[in-house]
DNA sequence: TATTAAATGTGGACTATGTCAACTAAAGGA
DNA sequence: TCCTTTAGTTGACATAGTCCACATTTAATA
């Protein structure tokens, strides 16, 4: 692969690290971290979500996940229900409070996106969006 | 801004968080973290680089930066030279060992990129590259 | 079926990473 | 001169993440 292309890609990676960094350090208008927010999000998106799904999807150590989930349960954001078929597994659900929090986080995230794109024209925004979809689609099919 | 567009952007952000996460947890074929690697990189790219530049560019706390730099100096990867004009400032330089390490990290990073894009056609790779440049250019001019 | 292997989750002990506030020292104004 | 800003350091602390050993349960297979 061409040096110049690799250079551009690494430059993009550095750049987008910064973008995501800014985002992620702002979730904390609530008392929760990005990781916790993503866990709530994944639980809400999945049916029959178990801890191990999250471990794989978010690349987090099992023991660490166990502790995070315990914390979220203590704070009444999620609840666990042991599977009747396989008693090793605990299905995870959001509580009402958890859903409310996720809703709040979603609103904030939308707001962040709006700020980031503020000032760009509709056609520019759409160019960016298309670009994102191209990247995701091509890399996704390839590796993830 | 349209709900659907925001949805796509957030999806991309989650996706790219994962991509960068994989990358960043592999730097550790050396004994150094991504942050340390980025610091070496920035020092090598800049002339008259001082700690405060890194603090701003990488969004890292001053005190934390101070400690990281001390560690890198102890390990003989960088050295500091006090400015003669403004004695508050320490200009940062890579040592020979630091340059060698950065070189090694660069080779590994190139390799990672190659792996990520492995299997894609030249035209697909170029599409991704163009997409990245569009995103960077538009957001960069806007915010960063 | 008996045995072994793999999956799921937990707990203890630890290291790494990051944050906050207080401080020194020098430089740049007004 | 006095006040403010900039650059960097230190101590104390908090949060995040890792490693290893372990218990249970299920799956695989000889």
């Amino acid at each position: 692969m061409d040096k110049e292309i690799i250079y551009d890609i690494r430059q993009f990676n550095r750049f987008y690290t910064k973008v995501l960094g800014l985002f992620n350090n702002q979730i904390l208008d609530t008392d929760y971290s990005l990781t916790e927010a993503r866990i709530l999000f994944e639980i809400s998106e999945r049916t029959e979500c178990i801890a191990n799904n999250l471990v794989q999807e978010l690349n987090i150590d099992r023991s660490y996940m166990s502790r995070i989930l315990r914390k979220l349960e203590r704070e009444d954001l999620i609840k666990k229900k042991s599977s009747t078929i396989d008693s090793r597994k605990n299905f995870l659900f959001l509580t009402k409070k958890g859903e409310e929090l996720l809703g709040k986080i979603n609103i904030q995230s939308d707001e962040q996106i709006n700020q980031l794109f503020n000032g760009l024209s509709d056609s520019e925004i759409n160019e960016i969006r298309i670009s994102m979809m191209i990247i995701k689609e091509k890399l996704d099919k390839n590796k993830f």
Side-chain angles (χ1 to χ4, degrees), chain A:
Chain A
M1 213 164 128
D2 189 13
K3 279 257 167 211
E4 211 182 317
I5 295 180
I6 290 184
Y7 179 86
D8 288 340
I9 292 164
R10 289 183 61 190
Q11 187 176 54
F12 177 78
N13 285 349
R14 284 194 299 276
F15 170 73
Y16 220 74
T17 297
K18 210 161 42 161
V19 173
L20 291 173
L22 280 189
F23 270 44
N24 301 348
N25 291 327
Q26 281 173 11
I27 293 268
L28 321 166
D29 209 39
T30 68
D31 286 339
Y32 297 90
S33 69
L34 171 74
T35 301
E36 288 165 329
R38 290 240 20 219
I39 288 171
L40 296 181
F41 174 83
E42 291 294 333
I43 292 174
S44 83
E45 292 280 300
R46 289 163 185 268
T47 56
E48 307 207 325
C49 177
I50 65 170
N52 220 34
N53 301 146
L54 302 173
V55 162
Q56 280 160 18
E57 177 67 27
L58 305 179
N59 234 296
I60 289 176
D61 180 84
R62 290 209 319 280
S63 66
Y64 187 30
M65 181 61 71
S66 171
R67 274 177 264 257
I68 294 173
L69 291 175
R70 193 202 300 154
K71 182 194 162 207
L72 295 179
E73 198 179 22
R74 264 204 316 267
E75 295 180 4
D76 193 31
L77 296 166
I78 67 169
K79 54 181 183 295
K80 299 176 183 175
K81 273 184 198 157
S82 184
S83 163
T84 48
I85 301 159
D86 181 346
S87 67
R88 291 170 306 179
K89 298 178 181 174
N90 293 313
F91 294 128
L92 303 171
F93 303 91
L94 296 189
T95 60
K96 182 134 194 233
K97 195 176 157 198
E99 291 192 20
E100 280 165 10
L101 176 61
L102 182 59
K104 214 166 120 188
I105 289 170
N106 281 335
I107 289 171
Q108 270 189 237
S109 299
D110 290 359
E111 184 47 39
Q112 283 177 4
I113 303 263
N114 268 311
Q115 273 176 35
L116 180 64
F117 286 76
N118 177 36
L120 295 173
S121 71
D122 282 1
S123 80
E124 282 178 313
I125 291 173
N126 208 45
E127 263 190 277
I128 293 174
R129 177 207 201 177
I130 301 280
S131 298
M132 286 177 169
M133 289 172 82
I134 288 171
I135 294 170
K136 177 171 187 313
E137 191 210 319
K138 301 239 177 269
L139 292 183
D140 222 352
K141 113 181 168 201
N142 197 32
K143 294 285 158 177
F144 292 92

